[in-house]
Amino acid sequence: MTGHSGKALSWKIAGGVIEVTLHREPCNEIGTLFLSELEQLVSALPGLEESAHAFIIHSTLGCGFSAGGDLRELYEGIKTTEQSAALAEIRDFHQRIHHAMNTLDSTPLTTIAAVHGIVFGGGLELALTCDMIIADKTARFCFPELRLGIIPGFGGIPRLKRDLGNAVVRDLLLTGRSFNVTKAQQAGLVSQVAGEGQALRVARATAAQLAKLDRRTAATAKKFMKPVPYDELRQEIEIVCELYARPQVQAALKKFVESTDAQSYLP
Amino acid sequence: MRTQEQTIDEILDLAAAQFKVPRAELSANDDFFKKLGIDSMQALSLLTRLEQHFNVELPDYELQGVSDFKTLGERIQARL
């Protein structure tokens, strides 16, 4: 067995399955630390693919899979840096995370996100890179970005459009509301629903089934049915960077980050 | 068909069980954030349980500004 233990995520490979664990408190917010460890993981993937057939990503935190982008870190960066430099950093961050997520999306391994609780924003975008999402009954899915004046920036819209029907894509994105697992399965976002706390067990059972099938055929089928929407992903980065330059976005981020209400600020 | 009072009672039962608060300490007009000691993320997990229990879909924007069990019960009742 080989593995790696990081501050935000760790992985091990056992029985032909790469298991990635997210464990960054408070809820696996995706900031610079998370990204650098994700980059380490995707750099290691070609070597790991030699001895694996499946990839599972899950969280050990009670709050859920991931609350998405680290808005506090983002806001601090905007607040303390001259605007053009802050926007350059935002662009660089998005380009790096797109590269990491595109690599996960296109790996020949069969990939499974085993999720529970909060699966929001960038966390949902990470799950969307996977071939299957297996969710327990506590899972809740949301793209709240429009409520802050931005759009999902880690590949969310292109991947959602690829995978789901227009009605649900627009509802999820344009209202910013959250879906429970029943709705998510009806929409085609979730392939299997597990009992509370059982998503990882179900994902492991699925991975065991994958091992019985020919790997090269599975990789060929995946490449055929799950093309990475590179053109739209590149467009997304441009739109996101334009939106971040708007003062309204910076004001919304400030209000969100500095709010001490139990009900965090969101319109 | 449940009455609104029955709906609110069931919400109080579920909230007490989920957040391990004695049921007798909860009443319809309580602010559930304060009484349960929860934040907005935990309120969403309560919403998930309520949707499953009542078999309804309740968009979270309908709950913006709602903080007491009675109003929560009214919003759920409207979807039953």
Side-chain angles (χ1 to χ4, degrees):
Chain A
M1 188 180 90
T2 56
H4 169 84
S5 183
K7 289 179 180 168
L9 57 94
S10 301
W11 71 83
K12 63 180 181 180
I13 176 164
V17 181
I18 302 164
E19 275 194 20
V20 181
T21 305
L22 310 180
H23 47 71
R24 177 70 172 172
E25 298 275 4
C27 198
N28 294 317
E29 284 77 6
I30 301 173
T32 48
L33 173 72
F34 191 105
L35 173 57
S36 67
E37 294 193 9
L38 188 65
E39 288 175 323
Q40 287 176 44
L41 168 65
V42 299
S43 298
L45 263 187
L48 299 172
E49 284 163 3
E50 297 296 314
S51 48
H53 65 276
F55 171 105
I56 297 172
I57 186 165
H58 72 108
S59 160
T60 52
L61 300 184
C63 64
F65 182 69
S66 168
D70 189 339
L71 298 181
R72 281 174 177 77
E73 183 184 89
L74 176 66
Y75 175 61
E76 283 303 312
I78 289 174
K79 196 172 70 171
T80 58
T81 315
E82 189 266 325
Q83 191 186 27
S84 62
L87 291 172
E89 282 180 22
I90 288 170
R91 175 178 291 275
D92 178 63
F93 185 92
H94 282 81
Q95 286 171 336
R96 286 171 57 197
I97 202 156
H98 270 244
H99 174 72
M101 290 202 180
N102 292 350
T103 305
L104 282 180
D105 196 337
S106 59
T107 174
L109 298 167
T110 302
T111 55
I112 304 170
V115 306
H116 69 282
I118 297 296
V119 191
F120 277 23
L124 177 48
E125 293 175 295
L126 179 58
L128 280 168
T129 66
C130 292
D131 304 333
M132 298 175 215
I133 300 178
I134 294 174
D136 88 1
K137 287 182 175 175
T138 67
R140 208 155 181 101
F141 303 86
C142 182
F143 274 124
E145 283 84 353
L146 256 75
R147 295 160 82 168
L148 289 164
I150 51 177
I151 63 168
F154 305 164
I157 293 177
R159 290 195 173 91
L160 211 57
K161 279 174 62 185
R162 174 186 66 185
D163 296 344
L164 303 184
N166 277 332
V168 73
V169 171
R170 291 175 191 148
D171 187 350
L172 198 56
L173 287 161
L174 297 177
T175 67
R177 72 174 171 123
S178 57
F179 285 176
N180 67 23
V181 74
T182 308
K183 176 82 176 179
Q185 190 179 33
Q186 286 166 354
L189 180 63
V190 163
S191 64
Q192 296 184 56
V193 178
E196 187 171 342
Q198 297 298 311
L200 180 58
R201 188 192 64 75
V202 173
R204 284 172 174 159
T206 305
Q209 166 63 14
L210 302 174
K212 299 173 191 168
L213 310 179
D214 180 69
R215 281 309 311 145
R216 274 189 286 186
T217 310
T220 302
K222 172 173 172 172
K223 197 171 178 181
F224 177 52
M225 67 182 144
K226 190 175 170 247
V228 180
Y230 289 109
D231 287 345
E232 288 192 338
L233 288 161
R234 278 190 288 270
Q235 286 174 38
E236 182 193 83
I237 294 175
E238 297 307 317
I239 296 168
V240 166
C241 291
E242 279 175 31
L243 291 173
Y244 271 116
R246 298 169 64 209
Q248 299 95 311
V249 173
Q250 292 163 29
L253 272 176
K254 177 180 167 67
K255 200 167 179 180
F256 178 80
V257 168
E258 295 182 351
S259 169
T260 54
D261 290 347
Q263 278 184 292
S264 55
Y265 161 76
L266 278 177
Chain B
M1 178 79 176
R2 295 174 175 91
T3 65
Q4 191 156 302
E5 288 68 31
Q6 286 170 328
T7 297
I8 294 168
D9 269 345
E10 289 175 43
I11 293 171
L12 295 173
D13 290 344
L14 286 164
Q18 184 174 352
F19 296 103
K20 297 181 174 46
V21 174
R23 170 66 179 83
E25 291 182 10
L26 299 181
S27 61
N29 290 315
D30 284 339
D31 180 318
F32 49 78
F33 287 104
K34 289 179 184 163
K35 200 75 179 199
L36 301 172
I38 62 174
D39 60 21
S40 57
M41 291 293 191
Q42 290 167 305
L44 282 175
S45 79
L46 175 62
L47 174 60
T48 301
R49 282 184 196 273
L50 294 173
E51 285 182 328
Q52 285 166 356
H53 177 80
F54 291 105
N55 196 26
V56 294
E57 187 184 353
L58 196 58
D60 39 11
Y61 53 76
E62 284 197 14
L63 298 179
Q64 280 289 313
V66 174
S67 58
D68 64 278
F69 291 110
K70 183 170 179 288
T71 312
L72 179 59
E74 289 167 0
R75 300 288 161 87
I76 289 174
Q77 190 73 16
R79 295 261 176 177
L80 291 177

